[in-house]
Amino acid sequence: MGVKKVMVVGAGIMGSGIAQVCIEHGFETVLADISPEYAKAGAAKIEHFLQRKIEKGRMEESEKEKALALLRAASIEEGADADLVIEAVTEDVEIKKEIFRKLDVLCRPETILASNTSTISITLLAGATQRPEQVVGMHFFVPPPVMKLIEVIPGLLTSEETEKTAMETAEAFGKTPVKAPDSSAFLVNRLLVPMWNEAMFLVMEGNEPKDIDTAMKLGGNLPMGPLELADFAGLDTVLAVMTQMYTDLGEPKYRPCPLLKKMVNAGLLGRKSKTGFYNY
């Protein structure tokens, strides 16, 4: 099936970023959240970032208006006729399963249901629906408008047609899709999380975050240091990912650093709270 209309469920950093990708590439898009206020706030963030692109000479005013005309902040019910739904809510299994159950009832029988989860089994989420063959993972990376990769994760019962549509849609978003296994953390986070964790242990041992990030940017040729990236992703999200991986895989290298737990408990979540390993 060809995807023309998309609904993104969850208007936070990831959800609004994914919706921005959709409208910039010509897709009619509904941005939904648990309240109209959250959805409207997500849409306002998108408008802000598009305006910044204009100021930097990367977009014309006419392009911005054309993109925003494709965006609607609304309820889940108002996006029930979408061809593709991308769920982008918090990394909580029960919350995601409940959303998939609701989408399964609301959406048209042919609608593909995708999750942006970074760790949770697609097969598990598909099991909450009566359409497991039409459930797939489409894992974007933060920030979605900038990062070029999408991990496409088929579950045990995902059909070849659904996988093919997800791949083609990712390319239509201007991204490069790679097929990833339906195991905890897929491909990228399987490699990234141990680096995040080790960087946090180094901070706990008394090293400066800036020194750690500079070392990895210059010595590891990374565009952003691991602690900068963790702050950007949200330390609560990072902790949720690590906890899920440790639960699923049981390996010590995925055991969350105690400092990370303390910071999340203190409300130091990175950019979203203005304070994490750095102040913003």
Side-chain angles (χ1 to χ4, degrees), residues 24 43 56 84 106 112 116 146-147 150 153 157 205 211 223 229 239 267 274:
E24 285 196 68
K56 293 177 180 179
L84 169 68
L106 280 175
I112 291 175
N116 182 58
V146 175
M147 300 296 280
I150 295 180
I153 309 103
L157 300 177
E205 291 166 14
D211 290 339
L229 182 58
L239 178 59
K274 307 299 183 186

Side-chain angles (χ1 to χ4, degrees), residues 144-183:
V146 175
M147 300 296 280
K148 292 296 185 183
L149 181 68
I150 295 180
E151 289 179 318
V152 174
I153 309 103
L156 183 64
L157 300 177
T158 302
S159 70
E160 289 184 8
E161 181 61 28
T162 296
E163 181 185 333
K164 179 173 179 284
T165 299
M167 286 281 191
E168 290 174 347
T169 304
E171 290 175 349
F173 288 157
K175 305 299 185 184
T176 300
V178 295
K179 183 178 178 179
D182 188 24
S183 60

Side-chain angles (χ1 to χ4, degrees), residues 45-189:
K45 278 187 285 188
I46 293 171
E47 184 170 6
H48 169 74
F49 285 122
L50 294 182
Q51 183 60 39
R52 285 182 63 183
K53 290 182 75 169
I54 291 174
E55 292 166 1
K56 293 177 180 179
R58 298 176 185 169
M59 175 177 270
E60 297 293 332
E61 182 69 35
S62 59
E63 292 175 309
K64 172 191 168 185
E65 295 306 320
K66 184 179 178 181
L68 289 176
L70 294 170
L71 180 66
R72 184 157 58 99
S75 66
I76 289 180
E77 289 76 9
E78 292 177 79
D81 62 339
D83 303 307
L84 169 68
V85 179
I86 303 173
E87 167 273 312
V89 303
T90 186
E91 284 291 286
D92 183 293
V93 175
E94 294 309 316
I95 291 174
K96 288 183 184 290
K97 284 170 67 176
E98 182 56 36
I99 287 172
F100 271 82
R101 279 190 285 267
K102 185 172 184 178
L103 291 170
D104 190 35
V105 173
L106 280 175
C107 295
R108 296 178 299 130
E110 60 269 30
T111 298
I112 291 175
L113 307 180
S115 177
N116 182 58
T117 180
S118 53
T119 50
I120 297 169
S121 166
I122 301 303
T123 301
L124 177 64
L125 297 178
T129 77
Q130 298 299 311
R131 62 178 88 192
E133 69 283 354
Q134 289 160 245
V135 177
V136 67
M138 290 185 72
H139 180 214
F140 292 71
F141 291 81
V142 61
V146 175
M147 300 296 280
K148 292 296 185 183
L149 181 68
I150 295 180
E151 289 179 318
V152 174
I153 309 103
L156 183 64
L157 300 177
T158 302
S159 70
E160 289 184 8
E161 181 61 28
T162 296
E163 181 185 333
K164 179 173 179 284
T165 299
M167 286 281 191
E168 290 174 347
T169 304
E171 290 175 349
F173 288 157
K175 305 299 185 184
T176 300
V178 295
K179 183 178 178 179
D182 188 24
S183 60
S184 190
F186 315 132
L187 289 177
V188 173
N189 280 335

